[in-house]
Amino acid sequence: MHATLALFCAGLSTFAVLYCVQPVLPVFSQSFHLTPAQSSLSLSVTTVMMALGLLVTGPLSDAIGRKSVMSVSLLLAACFTLLCATMSSWEGVLAMRALTGLALSGVAAVAMTWLSEELHPVFLSFSMGLYISGNSIGGLVGRLSTGMLADHFSWNVSLFVVGLFALTAAGLFFRLLPPSQHFRASSLRPHQLLVNFMFQWRDTGLPMLFLVGFILMGSFVTLFNYVSFRFLAAPFSLSQTVVGLLSVVYLTGTYSSPKAGVMTARYGRGVVLMASLLLMLAGLIATQFTTLLLVLPGLMLFAAGFFAAHSVASSWVGHRARRARGQASSLYLFFYYLGSSVAGTLGGVFWHGYGWAGVSAFIAVMLLGGLWLANKLRQIPVLVKKVR
């Protein structure tokens, strides 16, 4: 129970810190005289540094242990968020956000690896779903608090509050997470890292799962980056507070991610992954309307499909990886957050040139590519034996 709560706190803090800037992208644009694509760099620079850091922190955790890496990472991410709130220049904001992303890299892949090592495979999918549901609530907390506080105070105050929240979560995590029982240290020698790296890429399914991660996060971040700009403009003309409140759609992930874990035992990972991607596509289509009565359910469907798909894909990586699981999880999340950086920024080009229809078309193409990959993955024989 303590372990579950600890990992829930880690997921809560990670997504709160990561996505707290999303609802205030228009505020950044006004305060620092930026284009939408430029303001999105406050998220993209975080995720690209997070992706690069994963290439180091995953193997590092294979050598020195999981809890120490995650604890230090959560503490540093909270401190950098507090420092970001004090910045008066855009360059300062980007620098702190880059360091935040680098710090968070020590949580993402390592948390998934800890679950894969410490839990029986029968319970892995469900427990991974619970961890990811913490991510969804964290995304809600981060977006909701910054959206409302920025409307009544400033973006500086909103980020400072998120930093204090993250600091509290880091303390709870350190106290609650028990020591690893199944961890076996591996070498950090470059030759061994290269051997393990090549081993992951020789697997039939892992490279496709890495690409699925790129598509999932790229689609998710692109949609929620630019939907804020759409809601602030006509015909919606919503306030910053209301835009922040709309992040309640993240709560659908608290149901869909553990539910997807249960459904994989009955229908198989491939089928559930395809169904989740179709749910995202259906939600995307619903956002084309100009009434909140249709757009809001569309956002809910999209978020539910995303968290379900990520739950399936991430647990699938843990299932297929037969050695250096920390490195395998790091590679999945490297592509996952690289998708956020690349697609999240590129989406600004489509927004500027073609509006919401252009952003939607861009996302739809990615999701169709994800469906093709999921179908290919569904046809790969299931591994019946894993080396722990």
Side-chain angles (χ1 to χ4, degrees), residues 32 58 69 73 85 87-88 117 131 142 154 160 174 191 205 214 226 230 261 275 286 297 312 314 319 334 379:
F32 297 105
V69 171
S73 296
M87 294 295 110
S88 58
E117 283 180 340
Y131 164 66
S154 67
F160 192 81
F174 182 76
H191 173 72
F214 180 96
Y226 301 103
R230 189 185 183 211
V312 174
S314 57
H319 175 76
F334 171 79
Q379 300 171 33

Side-chain angles (χ1 to χ4, degrees), residues 194-215:
L194 181 60
V195 169
N196 289 337
F197 178 82
M198 297 304 296
F199 184 84
Q200 314 297 358
W201 285 98
R202 284 198 297 267
D203 183 84
T204 309
L206 284 175
M208 285 190 280
L209 285 168
F210 299 156
L211 289 176
V212 168
F214 180 96
I215 288 168

Side-chain angles (χ1 to χ4, degrees), residues 196-259:
N196 289 337
F197 178 82
M198 297 304 296
F199 184 84
Q200 314 297 358
W201 285 98
R202 284 198 297 267
D203 183 84
T204 309
L206 284 175
M208 285 190 280
L209 285 168
F210 299 156
L211 289 176
V212 168
F214 180 96
I215 288 168
L216 289 176
M217 192 57 147
S219 301
F220 182 74
V221 167
T222 299
L223 185 138
F224 283 98
N225 269 2
Y226 301 103
V227 77
S228 296
F229 289 94
R230 189 185 183 211
F231 282 148
L232 289 171
F236 299 101
S237 301
L238 302 179
S239 69
Q240 193 69 56
T241 297
V242 175
V243 171
L245 285 170
L246 292 178
S247 59
V248 295
V249 300
Y250 274 50
L251 287 177
T252 58
T254 64
Y255 172 80
S256 68
S257 49
K259 183 65 174 179

Side-chain angles (χ1 to χ4, degrees), residues 97-365:
R97 289 294 293 171
L99 290 172
T100 300
L102 195 60
L104 288 175
S105 68
V107 182
V110 183
M112 292 167 57
T113 306
W114 193 95
L115 287 168
S116 298
E117 283 180 340
E118 302 302 320
L119 300 180
H120 191 280
V122 172
F123 305 109
L124 177 60
S125 293
F126 180 73
S127 297
M128 192 72 78
L130 287 177
Y131 164 66
I132 293 173
S133 72
N135 292 349
S136 68
I137 296 176
L140 167 65
V141 170
R143 286 175 56 87
L144 185 59
S145 59
T146 52
M148 295 181 66
L149 290 170
D151 207 16
H152 293 87
F153 299 98
S154 67
W155 67 265
N156 308 79
V157 171
S158 64
L159 290 190
F160 192 81
V161 170
V162 171
L164 290 177
F165 170 80
L167 198 61
T168 303
L172 288 172
F173 173 85
F174 182 76
R175 286 183 59 86
L176 292 172
L177 190 72
S180 298
Q181 299 297 317
H182 302 289
F183 172 73
R184 298 293 181 272
S186 63
S187 173
L188 262 180
R189 290 176 298 177
H191 173 72
Q192 188 60 46
L193 291 176
L194 181 60
V195 169
N196 289 337
F197 178 82
M198 297 304 296
F199 184 84
Q200 314 297 358
W201 285 98
R202 284 198 297 267
D203 183 84
T204 309
L206 284 175
M208 285 190 280
L209 285 168
F210 299 156
L211 289 176
V212 168
F214 180 96
I215 288 168
L216 289 176
M217 192 57 147
S219 301
F220 182 74
V221 167
T222 299
L223 185 138
F224 283 98
N225 269 2
Y226 301 103
V227 77
S228 296
F229 289 94
R230 189 185 183 211
F231 282 148
L232 289 171
F236 299 101
S237 301
L238 302 179
S239 69
Q240 193 69 56
T241 297
V242 175
V243 171
L245 285 170
L246 292 178
S247 59
V248 295
V249 300
Y250 274 50
L251 287 177
T252 58
T254 64
Y255 172 80
S256 68
S257 49
K259 183 65 174 179
V262 173
M263 291 176 68
T264 56
R266 183 173 182 181
Y267 301 106
R269 290 182 173 88
V271 172
V272 178
L273 180 57
M274 291 183 70
S276 301
L277 285 162
L278 286 171
L279 197 63
M280 292 176 70
L281 196 56
L284 177 66
I285 293 171
T287 66
Q288 305 312 301
F289 296 95
T290 56
T291 171
L292 276 179
L293 291 176
L294 294 173
V295 175
L296 187 57
L299 294 177
M300 294 173 67
L301 288 176
F302 191 92
F306 164 75
F307 284 109
H310 177 41
S311 175
V312 174
S314 57
S315 65
W316 207 340
V317 170
H319 175 76
R320 289 205 65 89
R322 289 170 287 170
R323 63 194 288 182
R325 292 190 187 95
Q327 190 180 54
S329 294
S330 293
L331 284 170
Y332 169 78
L333 288 173
F334 171 79
F335 282 94
Y336 180 78
Y337 289 110
L338 188 65
S340 170
S341 302
V342 174
T345 302
L346 188 58
V349 177
F350 285 90
W351 169 258
H352 180 73
Y354 307 101
W356 188 248
V359 172
S360 299
F362 175 55
I363 296 172
V365 170

Side-chain angles (χ1 to χ4, degrees), residues 20-89:
C20 63
V21 297
Q22 257 189 339
V24 294
L25 293 183
V27 178
F28 284 152
S29 292
Q30 294 175 359
S31 299
F32 297 105
H33 309 291
L34 308 169
T35 67
Q38 288 174 325
S39 67
S40 73
L41 288 174
S42 59
L43 179 58
S44 296
V45 73
T46 311
T47 52
V48 75
M49 291 302 293
M50 192 173 181
L52 292 173
L54 286 166
L55 299 178
V56 177
T57 52
L60 182 65
S61 75
D62 284 334
I64 69 173
R66 317 299 184 194
K67 182 175 180 178
S68 57
V69 171
M70 287 189 285
S71 298
V72 172
S73 296
L74 285 169
L75 177 61
L76 288 176
C79 292
F80 289 136
T81 301
L82 290 170
L83 285 173
C84 185
T86 67
M87 294 295 110
S88 58
S89 69

